[in-house]
Amino acid sequence: MNFSEFDALMMQRALDLAEKGIYSTKPNPAVGCVITQDSKVIGEGWHRQAGQLHAERLALLDAQQRGFFVKGATAYVTLEPCSHTGRTSPCSDALIEAGIGRVVVAMQDPNPLVCGQGIQKLQAANIPVDVGLMQERAESLNLGFIQTMKTQLPFVRLKMATSLDGRTAAANGESQWITGDEARKAVHFMRAKHGALITGIGTVLADDPSLTVRLTDEELASINLTQDNCHPIRVILDPHMSMPLDAKMLSLPGRTIVMTSKASAESQRSQIDAFYAKGIELVAVAAQDDVLDLESVLHYLAQEEKVTDVMVEAGSIVAGAFMRSGFVNELHCFVAPTIMGDKAKPMFTLPGIEAMSDKLPLAFQSCNLVGQDVHLVLTPTTQKG
């Protein structure tokens, strides 16, 4: 399909609108829509929050409020208009009923409830539909949504803060702070983008972390969040139910789920009531030799909690387990210009390799300076998710 320069400009605008919702729409995808008539923008919209109007309906409403008629107009949408009734009615129906004359779609919806059916419905109503304009960027806005729909597992980002020589804590366990203020701020924005934040019980026992999003009201408003809805679910991997009942996070906003083994949940029934009394949600998952099965953890979050994007912030044991698992989609390393020496704690607890052919290969995606620290984004070249 040959798209015009005007088509490209309008889809770029729709993608910019969609990007406004990447923090607030979860677990829904971020979507933008632009409606044009005679080469003029007459309506715009972007999906703000799950359960609220979708981008197409907001764009139609915007055009109506501006006093424009949309019959015969062109709609540019970053994701295929939905064809099923969820919390809102189908957007494909809204476009048809409004008399839209053409629809340009960046990418097909991977949701099995849609997956081409929205496009087919529009075409059945004799509306031309052109698909694939700026598809790569459209996909990049909704990596978690796409992955969850295709694999039933969330997109996993493993974040590490490290010295130049790959150390994450001093020999005595002290880890605050390796990186500077700007990098730590960037991490809080990262947290706000995710539905769940995973750490291990070792980190809880050693650091008593808050695992909250600590941004100002103004900063949250800039990403369409508030202090009430910005915190990801805290997920603690705790095979022996060792979670301290006086942990700091339990008195802070947000939910806390302790993932434990089925054997521990069965043998420590007396502890369960104490957990519930502190507001802890307990989930038993598959485990082997007291090691929780990470696929079971991720599957639960995707299927039961509707989490599409997971961030892992943990010590070397859990970080190493995730890297070995093959479920890490992106590795985010904030590297400080400092050296801590060989007695400090390493990034990963991993078995040493016998030959270079056994190394874990990664591909660089980006490298940016954040304050005095470097933010590296890498992807494992082999992944399960």
Side-chain angles (χ1 to χ4, degrees):
M1 175 67 196
N2 292 322
F3 295 100
S4 69
E5 184 176 346
F6 181 77
D7 287 337
L9 286 172
M10 293 302 98
M11 186 58 78
Q12 181 65 53
R13 174 58 182 163
L15 288 162
D16 289 344
L17 289 169
E19 192 168 8
K20 293 183 177 184
I22 59 175
Y23 289 89
S24 60
T25 62
K26 53 184 179 287
N28 284 5
V31 182
C33 178
V34 173
I35 299 175
T36 68
Q37 186 81 276
D38 299 325
S39 299
K40 177 182 178 180
V41 174
I42 62 172
E44 295 183 333
W46 54 278
H47 186 42
R48 289 167 168 78
Q49 189 173 329
Q52 295 184 5
L53 290 178
H54 288 186
E56 299 93 324
R57 289 186 177 274
L58 287 169
L60 290 169
L61 182 61
D62 183 43
Q64 180 185 12
Q65 291 173 341
R66 293 193 202 184
F68 292 111
F69 294 100
V70 301
K71 187 171 183 179
T74 297
Y76 296 87
V77 191
T78 60
L79 183 69
E80 174 185 359
C82 59
S83 57
H84 69 290
T85 300
R87 296 191 195 181
T88 60
S89 53
C91 291
S92 53
D93 289 351
L95 295 173
I96 293 168
E97 292 164 5
I100 289 292
R102 176 189 177 217
V103 179
V104 182
V105 177
M107 62 171 287
Q108 184 173 300
D109 193 332
N111 186 343
L113 296 175
V114 184
C115 202
Q117 296 178 55
I119 294 170
Q120 293 170 11
K121 183 179 284 192
L122 293 168
Q123 292 172 332
N126 296 316
I127 299 175
V129 182
D130 300 317
V131 184
L133 178 59
M134 299 186 178
Q135 178 174 330
E136 187 173 341
R137 188 186 167 199
E139 291 174 343
S140 71
L141 293 178
N142 292 301
L143 294 174
F145 174 75
I146 294 169
Q147 169 141 317
T148 304
M149 288 300 164
K150 289 183 175 180
T151 69
Q152 289 72 58
L153 295 173
F155 194 92
V156 177
R157 294 175 180 87
L158 172 58
K159 169 260 165 183
M160 305 296 291
T162 174
S163 62
L164 190 60
D165 54 344
R167 303 294 165 166
T168 61
N172 65 359
E174 184 181 357
S175 61
Q176 297 179 343
W177 300 100
I178 294 174
T179 54
D181 292 342
E182 293 91 339
R184 295 200 297 276
K185 178 77 69 177
V187 169
H188 284 286
F189 275 101
M190 281 184 65
R191 287 180 179 180
K193 193 180 291 188
H194 290 77
L197 180 59
I198 295 179
T199 197
I201 185 61
T203 295
V204 176
L205 294 174
D207 299 337
D208 194 19
S210 299
L211 300 183
T212 54
V213 172
R214 296 188 291 282
L215 297 173
T216 66
D217 290 343
E218 183 178 357
E219 288 166 338
L220 289 172
S222 73
I223 55 175
N224 303 294
L225 293 175
T226 68
Q227 298 290 349
D228 294 328
N229 65 2
C230 66
H231 305 291
I233 301 169
R234 295 180 287 264
V235 180
I236 315 302
L237 305 185
D238 182 11
H240 300 295
M241 293 177 60
S242 305
M243 181 72 177
L245 298 181
D246 60 351
K248 180 167 55 181
M249 69 180 70
L250 300 180
S251 63
L252 298 174
R255 295 169 57 197
T256 300
I257 296 177
V258 167
M259 296 275 194
T260 193
S261 67
K262 294 178 180 178
S264 291
E266 183 66 28
S267 63
Q268 300 186 53
R269 289 181 175 273
S270 60
Q271 181 76 341
I272 293 176
D273 289 341
F275 271 35
Y276 288 160
K278 295 295 294 185
I280 298 171
E281 301 172 47
L282 187 66
V283 175
V285 297
Q288 184 174 6
D289 298 328
D290 294 327
V291 176
L292 301 184
D293 179 69
L294 295 182
E295 183 171 4
S296 297
V297 170
L298 296 173
H299 187 269
Y300 175 88
L301 291 173
Q303 301 308 305
E304 301 301 325
E305 298 293 342
K306 307 305 178 188
V307 169
T308 60
D309 293 85
V310 165
M311 182 172 169
V312 180
E313 283 191 75
S316 65
I317 294 175
V318 170
F322 266 97
M323 289 303 297
R324 288 196 306 273
S325 74
F327 291 117
V328 173
N329 301 105
E330 288 180 354
L331 174 61
H332 289 250
C333 289
F334 290 86
V335 184
T338 187
I339 294 174
M340 298 174 65
D342 59 6
K343 290 186 178 180
K345 306 294 183 182
M347 291 175 65
F348 306 110
T349 297
L350 290 167
I353 61 172
E354 297 295 331
M356 289 299 288
S357 59
D358 297 326
K359 65 183 183 293
L360 178 61
L362 304 168
F364 280 105
Q365 298 301 316
S366 64
C367 176
N368 295 291
L369 194 63
V370 182
Q372 294 299 307
D373 305 308
V374 175
H375 179 196
L376 301 174
V377 182
L378 308 98
T379 55
T381 56
T382 57
Q383 302 175 13
K384 289 184 181 178

Coordinates of all heavy atoms in Angstrom, one line a residue, residues 42-124:
I42 N -10.2 17.5 11.9 CA -11.5 18.0 12.5 C -11.8 17.3 13.8 O -12.7 17.7 14.5 CB -12.7 17.7 11.5 CG1 -12.8 16.2 11.2 CG2 -12.5 18.5 10.2 CD1 -14.1 15.9 10.4
G43 N -11.0 16.3 14.2 CA -11.3 15.6 15.5 C -10.1 14.8 15.9 O -9.4 14.2 15.1
E44 N -9.8 14.8 17.2 CA -8.7 14.0 17.8 C -9.1 13.3 19.1 O -10.0 13.9 19.8 CB -7.5 14.9 18.1 CG -6.8 15.5 16.9 CD -5.6 16.3 17.2 OE1 -5.5 16.8 18.4 OE2 -4.7 16.5 16.4
G45 N -8.5 12.2 19.4 CA -8.8 11.5 20.6 C -7.7 10.5 21.0 O -7.0 10.0 20.1
W46 N -7.5 10.3 22.3 CA -6.6 9.2 22.7 C -7.2 8.5 23.9 O -7.9 9.2 24.7 CB -5.2 9.7 23.0 CG -5.1 10.9 23.9 CD1 -5.3 12.2 23.6 CD2 -4.8 10.8 25.3 NE1 -5.1 13.0 24.8 CE2 -4.8 12.1 25.8 CE3 -4.5 9.8 26.2 CZ2 -4.5 12.5 27.1 CZ3 -4.2 10.1 27.5 CH2 -4.2 11.4 28.0
H47 N -7.0 7.2 24.0 CA -7.5 6.4 25.1 C -6.8 6.8 26.4 O -5.6 6.7 26.4 CB -7.4 5.0 24.8 CG -8.1 4.1 25.8 ND1 -9.3 4.3 26.4 CD2 -7.7 2.9 26.4 CE1 -9.6 3.4 27.2 NE2 -8.6 2.5 27.3
R48 N -7.5 7.2 27.4 CA -6.9 7.7 28.7 C -6.8 6.6 29.8 O -5.8 6.5 30.5 CB -7.6 8.9 29.2 CG -7.4 10.1 28.4 CD -8.4 11.2 28.7 NE -8.1 12.5 28.1 CZ -8.3 12.8 26.9 NH1 -8.9 12.0 26.0 NH2 -8.0 14.0 26.4
Q49 N -7.9 5.8 29.9 CA -7.9 4.9 31.0 C -8.9 3.7 30.7 O -9.9 4.0 30.0 CB -8.4 5.6 32.3 CG -8.2 4.8 33.6 CD -8.5 5.6 34.8 OE1 -8.3 6.8 34.8 NE2 -9.1 5.0 35.8
A50 N -8.6 2.5 31.1 CA -9.4 1.4 30.9 C -10.8 1.7 31.5 O -11.0 2.2 32.6 CB -8.9 0.1 31.6
G51 N -11.8 1.4 30.7 CA -13.2 1.6 31.1 C -13.8 2.9 30.6 O -15.0 3.2 30.6
Q52 N -12.9 3.8 30.1 CA -13.3 5.1 29.6 C -13.4 5.0 28.1 O -13.0 4.0 27.5 CB -12.4 6.2 30.0 CG -12.4 6.5 31.5 CD -11.5 7.7 31.9 OE1 -11.0 8.4 31.0 NE2 -11.3 7.9 33.1
L53 N -13.9 6.0 27.4 CA -14.1 6.0 25.9 C -12.8 5.7 25.2 O -11.7 6.2 25.6 CB -14.7 7.3 25.5 CG -16.1 7.6 25.9 CD1 -16.5 9.0 25.3 CD2 -17.1 6.6 25.3
H54 N -12.9 5.0 24.1 CA -11.7 4.7 23.3 C -11.4 5.9 22.4 O -12.2 6.8 22.3 CB -11.9 3.4 22.5 CG -11.9 2.2 23.3 ND1 -12.0 0.9 22.7 CD2 -11.9 2.0 24.6 CE1 -12.0 0.0 23.7 NE2 -11.9 0.6 24.8
A55 N -10.2 5.8 21.8 CA -9.7 7.0 21.0 C -10.6 7.4 19.9 O -10.9 8.5 19.6 CB -8.3 6.6 20.5
E56 N -11.2 6.3 19.2 CA -12.1 6.7 18.1 C -13.3 7.4 18.5 O -13.7 8.4 17.9 CB -12.5 5.4 17.3 CG -11.3 4.6 16.8 CD -10.8 3.5 17.7 OE1 -10.7 3.8 19.0 OE2 -10.4 2.4 17.2
R57 N -13.9 7.0 19.6 CA -15.2 7.7 20.0 C -14.8 9.1 20.5 O -15.6 10.0 20.4 CB -15.8 6.8 21.1 CG -16.5 5.5 20.6 CD -17.3 4.8 21.6 NE -17.9 3.6 21.1 CZ -19.1 3.7 20.5 NH1 -19.8 4.8 20.4 NH2 -19.6 2.6 20.0
L58 N -13.7 9.2 21.2 CA -13.3 10.6 21.6 C -13.0 11.5 20.5 O -13.4 12.7 20.5 CB -12.1 10.5 22.5 CG -12.3 9.9 23.9 CD1 -11.0 9.6 24.6 CD2 -13.2 10.8 24.8
A59 N -12.4 11.0 19.4 CA -12.2 11.8 18.2 C -13.5 12.2 17.5 O -13.6 13.3 17.1 CB -11.3 11.0 17.2
L60 N -14.4 11.2 17.5 CA -15.7 11.6 16.9 C -16.4 12.6 17.7 O -17.0 13.6 17.2 CB -16.6 10.3 16.8 CG -16.2 9.3 15.8 CD1 -16.9 8.0 16.0 CD2 -16.4 9.8 14.4
L61 N -16.3 12.5 19.1 CA -17.0 13.4 20.0 C -16.3 14.8 19.8 O -17.0 15.9 19.8 CB -16.9 12.9 21.4 CG -17.5 13.8 22.5 CD1 -19.0 14.0 22.3 CD2 -17.2 13.2 23.9
D62 N -15.0 14.8 19.7 CA -14.2 16.1 19.5 C -14.7 16.8 18.2 O -14.9 18.0 18.2 CB -12.7 15.8 19.4 CG -11.9 17.0 19.3 OD1 -12.2 18.0 20.0 OD2 -10.9 17.0 18.5
A63 N -14.9 16.0 17.1 CA -15.3 16.6 15.9 C -16.7 17.2 16.0 O -17.0 18.3 15.6 CB -15.3 15.6 14.8
Q64 N -17.6 16.5 16.7 CA -19.0 17.0 17.0 C -18.9 18.2 17.8 O -19.7 19.2 17.5 CB -19.8 15.9 17.7 CG -21.2 16.3 17.9 CD -21.9 15.2 18.8 OE1 -21.3 14.3 19.3 NE2 -23.2 15.4 18.9
Q65 N -18.1 18.3 18.8 CA -18.1 19.5 19.7 C -17.5 20.7 19.0 O -17.8 21.8 19.3 CB -17.3 19.1 20.9 CG -18.0 18.2 21.9 CD -17.1 17.7 23.0 OE1 -15.9 17.8 23.0 NE2 -17.7 17.2 24.1
R66 N -16.6 20.4 18.0 CA -16.1 21.5 17.2 C -17.1 22.0 16.1 O -16.8 22.9 15.4 CB -14.8 21.0 16.5 CG -13.6 20.7 17.4 CD -12.4 20.6 16.5 NE -11.3 19.9 17.2 CZ -10.1 19.7 16.6 NH1 -9.8 20.3 15.4 NH2 -9.1 19.1 17.2
G67 N -18.1 21.2 15.9 CA -19.1 21.6 14.9 C -18.9 21.0 13.5 O -19.5 21.5 12.5
F68 N -18.1 20.0 13.4 CA -17.8 19.4 12.1 C -18.7 18.1 11.8 O -19.0 17.4 12.8 CB -16.3 19.0 12.0 CG -15.4 20.1 12.0 CD1 -14.5 20.4 13.1 CD2 -15.3 21.0 10.9 CE1 -13.6 21.4 13.0 CE2 -14.4 22.1 10.9 CZ -13.6 22.3 11.9
F69 N -19.0 17.9 10.6 CA -19.7 16.7 10.1 C -18.6 15.7 9.7 O -17.7 16.1 8.9 CB -20.7 17.0 9.0 CG -21.8 17.8 9.5 CD1 -21.8 19.2 9.2 CD2 -22.9 17.3 10.2 CE1 -22.9 20.0 9.6 CE2 -23.9 18.0 10.6 CZ -23.9 19.4 10.3
V70 N -18.7 14.5 10.1 CA -17.6 13.5 9.8 C -18.0 12.6 8.6 O -17.2 11.7 8.2 CB -17.3 12.6 11.0 CG1 -16.8 13.5 12.2 CG2 -18.5 11.8 11.4
K71 N -19.1 12.7 8.0 CA -19.5 11.8 6.9 C -18.5 12.0 5.8 O -18.2 13.1 5.3 CB -20.9 12.1 6.4 CG -21.4 11.1 5.4 CD -22.9 11.4 5.1 CE -23.4 10.3 4.1 NZ -24.8 10.5 3.8
G72 N -17.9 10.8 5.4 CA -17.0 10.8 4.3 C -15.5 11.1 4.8 O -14.6 11.1 3.9
A73 N -15.3 11.4 6.0 CA -14.0 11.8 6.5 C -13.1 10.6 6.6 O -13.5 9.4 6.5 CB -14.2 12.4 7.9
T74 N -11.8 10.8 6.8 CA -10.8 9.7 7.0 C -10.4 9.7 8.5 O -10.1 10.7 9.1 CB -9.6 10.0 6.1 OG1 -10.0 10.0 4.8 CG2 -8.5 8.9 6.4
A75 N -10.4 8.5 9.0 CA -9.9 8.3 10.4 C -8.6 7.6 10.4 O -8.5 6.5 9.8 CB -11.0 7.5 11.2
Y76 N -7.6 8.1 11.1 CA -6.3 7.5 11.3 C -6.2 6.9 12.7 O -6.3 7.7 13.7 CB -5.2 8.5 11.1 CG -5.2 9.1 9.6 CD1 -6.0 10.2 9.3 CD2 -4.4 8.5 8.7 CE1 -6.0 10.7 8.0 CE2 -4.3 9.0 7.4 CZ -5.1 10.1 7.0 OH -5.1 10.6 5.8
V77 N -6.0 5.6 12.8 CA -6.1 5.0 14.1 C -4.8 4.1 14.3 O -4.4 3.4 13.4 CB -7.3 4.1 14.2 CG1 -7.5 3.6 15.7 CG2 -8.6 4.8 13.8
T78 N -4.2 4.2 15.5 CA -2.9 3.5 15.7 C -3.1 2.0 15.9 O -2.2 1.2 15.8 CB -2.2 4.1 16.9 OG1 -3.0 4.0 18.1 CG2 -1.9 5.6 16.6
L79 N -4.3 1.6 16.2 CA -4.6 0.2 16.5 C -6.0 -0.1 15.9 O -6.9 0.7 15.9 CB -4.6 -0.2 18.0 CG -4.9 -1.6 18.4 CD1 -3.7 -2.5 18.0 CD2 -5.1 -1.7 19.9
E80 N -6.1 -1.3 15.3 CA -7.4 -1.7 14.7 C -8.6 -1.4 15.6 O -8.6 -1.8 16.8 CB -7.4 -3.2 14.4 CG -8.7 -3.8 13.8 CD -8.6 -5.3 13.7 OE1 -7.5 -5.9 14.0 OE2 -9.6 -5.9 13.3
P81 N -9.6 -0.7 15.1 CA -10.8 -0.5 15.9 C -11.4 -1.8 16.4 O -11.6 -2.8 15.7 CB -11.8 0.3 14.9 CG -10.8 0.9 13.9 CD -9.7 -0.1 13.7
C82 N -11.8 -1.8 17.7 CA -12.3 -3.0 18.3 C -13.7 -3.4 17.7 O -14.4 -2.5 17.2 CB -12.5 -2.8 19.8 SG -13.5 -1.5 20.3
S83 N -14.0 -4.6 17.7 CA -15.2 -5.2 17.1 C -16.1 -5.9 18.1 O -17.1 -6.5 17.8 CB -14.9 -6.1 16.0 OG -14.0 -7.2 16.5
H84 N -15.7 -5.9 19.4 CA -16.4 -6.6 20.5 C -16.8 -5.6 21.6 O -16.3 -4.5 21.7 CB -15.6 -7.7 21.1 CG -14.4 -7.2 21.9 ND1 -13.3 -6.6 21.3 CD2 -14.2 -7.2 23.2 CE1 -12.5 -6.2 22.3 NE2 -13.0 -6.6 23.4
T85 N -17.8 -6.1 22.3 CA -18.3 -5.2 23.4 C -17.6 -5.7 24.7 O -17.7 -6.8 25.2 CB -19.8 -5.4 23.6 OG1 -20.4 -5.0 22.4 CG2 -20.3 -4.5 24.8
G86 N -16.8 -4.7 25.3 CA -16.2 -5.0 26.6 C -16.8 -4.0 27.6 O -18.0 -4.0 27.8
R87 N -15.9 -3.1 28.2 CA -16.5 -2.1 29.0 C -17.2 -1.0 28.2 O -18.0 -0.2 28.7 CB -15.4 -1.5 29.9 CG -14.7 -2.4 30.8 CD -13.8 -1.6 31.8 NE -12.9 -2.5 32.5 CZ -12.0 -2.1 33.4 NH1 -11.9 -0.8 33.7 NH2 -11.2 -2.9 34.0
T88 N -16.8 -0.9 26.9 CA -17.4 0.0 26.0 C -17.8 -0.7 24.7 O -17.4 -1.8 24.5 CB -16.4 1.1 25.6 OG1 -15.2 0.5 25.0 CG2 -15.9 1.9 26.8
S89 N -18.7 -0.1 24.0 CA -19.2 -0.8 22.7 C -18.2 -0.6 21.6 O -17.3 0.2 21.7 CB -20.6 -0.2 22.3 OG -20.5 1.2 22.2
P90 N -18.3 -1.4 20.6 CA -17.3 -1.5 19.5 C -17.0 -0.2 18.8 O -18.0 0.5 18.4 CB -17.9 -2.6 18.5 CG -18.8 -3.4 19.3 CD -19.4 -2.4 20.3
C91 N -15.8 0.2 18.6 CA -15.4 1.4 17.9 C -15.7 1.3 16.4 O -15.9 2.3 15.8 CB -14.0 1.7 18.2 SG -13.7 2.2 19.9
S92 N -15.5 0.0 15.9 CA -15.8 -0.1 14.5 C -17.3 0.3 14.2 O -17.6 0.9 13.2 CB -15.6 -1.6 14.1 OG -16.2 -2.5 14.9
D93 N -18.2 -0.1 15.1 CA -19.6 0.3 14.9 C -19.8 1.8 14.9 O -20.5 2.4 14.1 CB -20.5 -0.3 16.0 CG -20.6 -1.8 15.9 OD1 -20.2 -2.4 14.8 OD2 -21.1 -2.5 16.8
A94 N -19.0 2.5 15.8 CA -19.1 3.9 16.0 C -18.7 4.6 14.7 O -19.3 5.6 14.2 CB -18.3 4.4 17.1
L95 N -17.6 4.1 14.1 CA -17.1 4.7 12.8 C -18.1 4.5 11.7 O -18.3 5.4 10.9 CB -15.7 4.1 12.5 CG -14.6 4.4 13.5 CD1 -13.3 3.6 13.1 CD2 -14.3 5.9 13.5
I96 N -18.7 3.3 11.7 CA -19.7 3.0 10.6 C -20.9 3.9 10.8 O -21.4 4.5 9.8 CB -20.0 1.5 10.7 CG1 -18.9 0.6 10.3 CG2 -21.2 1.2 9.7 CD1 -19.1 -0.8 10.6
E97 N -21.4 4.0 12.0 CA -22.6 4.8 12.2 C -22.4 6.3 12.0 O -23.3 7.0 11.6 CB -23.0 4.6 13.7 CG -23.5 3.2 14.0 CD -23.6 2.9 15.5 OE1 -23.4 3.8 16.3 OE2 -23.9 1.7 15.8
A98 N -21.1 6.7 12.2 CA -20.8 8.1 11.9 C -20.7 8.5 10.5 O -20.6 9.6 10.1 CB -19.5 8.5 12.7
G99 N -20.5 7.4 9.6 CA -20.4 7.7 8.2 C -19.0 7.9 7.7 O -18.8 8.6 6.7
I100 N -18.0 7.5 8.5 CA -16.6 7.6 8.1 C -16.4 7.0 6.7 O -16.9 5.9 6.4 CB -15.7 7.0 9.2 CG1 -15.7 7.8 10.5 CG2 -14.2 6.9 8.6 CD1 -15.0 9.2 10.4
G101 N -15.6 7.7 5.9 CA -15.4 7.2 4.5 C -14.2 6.4 4.3 O -14.1 5.7 3.3
R102 N -13.2 6.5 5.1 CA -11.9 5.7 5.0 C -11.3 5.6 6.3 O -11.4 6.5 7.1 CB -11.0 6.4 4.0 CG -9.6 5.8 3.8 CD -8.7 6.7 3.0 NE -7.3 6.1 2.9 CZ -6.2 6.8 2.9 NH1 -6.2 8.1 3.1 NH2 -5.0 6.2 2.8
V103 N -10.6 4.5 6.6 CA -9.9 4.3 7.8 C -8.5 3.8 7.5 O -8.3 2.9 6.7 CB -10.6 3.2 8.7 CG1 -9.8 3.0 10.0 CG2 -12.0 3.7 9.1
V104 N -7.5 4.4 8.1 CA -6.1 4.1 8.0 C -5.7 3.5 9.3 O -5.8 4.2 10.4 CB -5.2 5.2 7.5 CG1 -3.8 4.8 7.4 CG2 -5.7 5.8 6.2
V105 N -5.2 2.3 9.4 CA -4.8 1.6 10.6 C -3.3 1.3 10.6 O -2.8 0.8 9.7 CB -5.6 0.3 10.8 CG1 -5.2 -0.5 12.0 CG2 -7.1 0.6 10.8
A106 N -2.7 1.6 11.7 CA -1.2 1.4 11.9 C -1.0 -0.1 12.0 O 0.0 -0.7 11.4 CB -0.6 2.1 13.0
M107 N -1.7 -0.8 12.8 CA -1.5 -2.2 13.1 C -2.8 -3.0 13.4 O -3.7 -2.4 14.0 CB -0.5 -2.4 14.2 CG -0.9 -1.9 15.6 SD 0.2 -2.4 16.9 CE -0.2 -4.1 17.1
Q108 N -2.8 -4.2 13.1 CA -3.9 -5.1 13.5 C -3.9 -5.4 14.9 O -2.8 -5.5 15.5 CB -3.9 -6.4 12.6 CG -5.0 -7.3 12.9 CD -5.0 -8.5 11.9 OE1 -5.1 -8.3 10.7 NE2 -4.9 -9.7 12.4
D109 N -5.0 -5.5 15.6 CA -5.1 -5.8 17.0 C -4.8 -7.3 17.2 O -5.5 -8.2 16.6 CB -6.5 -5.5 17.5 CG -6.6 -5.5 19.0 OD1 -5.8 -6.2 19.7 OD2 -7.5 -4.8 19.5
P110 N -3.8 -7.7 18.1 CA -3.5 -9.1 18.3 C -4.5 -9.7 19.3 O -4.4 -11.0 19.5 CB -2.1 -9.0 19.0 CG -2.1 -7.7 19.7 CD -2.9 -6.7 18.8
N111 N -5.4 -9.0 19.9 CA -6.4 -9.5 20.7 C -7.3 -10.5 20.0 O -7.9 -10.1 19.0 CB -7.3 -8.4 21.3 CG -8.3 -8.9 22.4 OD1 -8.6 -10.1 22.5 ND2 -8.8 -8.0 23.1
P112 N -7.4 -11.8 20.4 CA -8.2 -12.8 19.6 C -9.6 -12.4 19.5 O -10.3 -12.8 18.5 CB -8.0 -14.0 20.5 CG -6.8 -13.9 21.3 CD -6.7 -12.4 21.5
L113 N -10.1 -11.5 20.4 CA -11.5 -11.0 20.3 C -11.7 -10.0 19.1 O -12.8 -9.7 18.7 CB -12.0 -10.4 21.6 CG -12.0 -11.3 22.8 CD1 -12.4 -10.5 24.0 CD2 -13.1 -12.4 22.5
V114 N -10.6 -9.5 18.6 CA -10.6 -8.6 17.5 C -9.9 -9.2 16.3 O -10.5 -9.7 15.4 CB -10.0 -7.2 17.9 CG1 -10.1 -6.2 16.7 CG2 -10.6 -6.7 19.2
C115 N -8.6 -9.1 16.3 CA -7.7 -9.8 15.3 C -8.2 -9.8 13.9 O -8.4 -10.9 13.3 CB -7.4 -11.2 15.8 SG -5.9 -11.9 15.2
G116 N -8.4 -8.7 13.3 CA -8.9 -8.6 12.0 C -10.4 -8.4 11.8 O -10.9 -8.0 10.8
Q117 N -11.2 -8.7 12.9 CA -12.6 -8.6 12.8 C -13.1 -7.2 12.7 O -14.1 -6.9 12.0 CB -13.3 -9.3 13.9 CG -13.0 -10.8 14.0 CD -13.6 -11.5 15.2 OE1 -14.8 -11.4 15.4 NE2 -12.8 -12.2 16.0
G118 N -12.4 -6.3 13.3 CA -12.8 -4.9 13.2 C -12.6 -4.3 11.8 O -13.4 -3.6 11.3
I119 N -11.5 -4.7 11.2 CA -11.2 -4.4 9.8 C -12.3 -4.9 8.9 O -12.8 -4.3 8.0 CB -9.8 -4.8 9.4 CG1 -8.7 -4.0 10.2 CG2 -9.6 -4.6 7.9 CD1 -7.3 -4.5 10.1
Q120 N -12.6 -6.2 9.1 CA -13.6 -6.9 8.2 C -14.9 -6.2 8.4 O -15.7 -6.1 7.4 CB -13.6 -8.4 8.6 CG -12.4 -9.2 8.3 CD -12.4 -10.6 8.9 OE1 -13.4 -11.0 9.4 NE2 -11.3 -11.2 8.8
K121 N -15.3 -5.8 9.6 CA -16.6 -5.2 9.8 C -16.7 -3.9 9.0 O -17.7 -3.5 8.4 CB -16.8 -5.0 11.3 CG -18.2 -4.4 11.6 CD -18.4 -4.2 13.1 CE -18.7 -5.5 13.8 NZ -19.2 -5.3 15.2
L122 N -15.6 -3.1 9.1 CA -15.5 -1.8 8.3 C -15.6 -2.1 6.8 O -16.4 -1.4 6.1 CB -14.2 -1.1 8.7 CG -14.1 -0.6 10.1 CD1 -12.7 -0.1 10.4 CD2 -15.1 0.6 10.4
Q123 N -14.9 -3.0 6.4 CA -14.9 -3.4 4.9 C -16.3 -3.9 4.5 O -16.7 -3.5 3.4 CB -13.8 -4.4 4.6 CG -12.4 -3.8 4.7 CD -11.3 -4.9 4.6 OE1 -11.6 -6.1 4.9 NE2 -10.1 -4.5 4.1
A124 N -16.9 -4.6 5.3 CA -18.3 -5.1 5.0 C -19.3 -4.0 4.9 O -20.3 -4.1 4.2 CB -18.7 -6.1 6.1

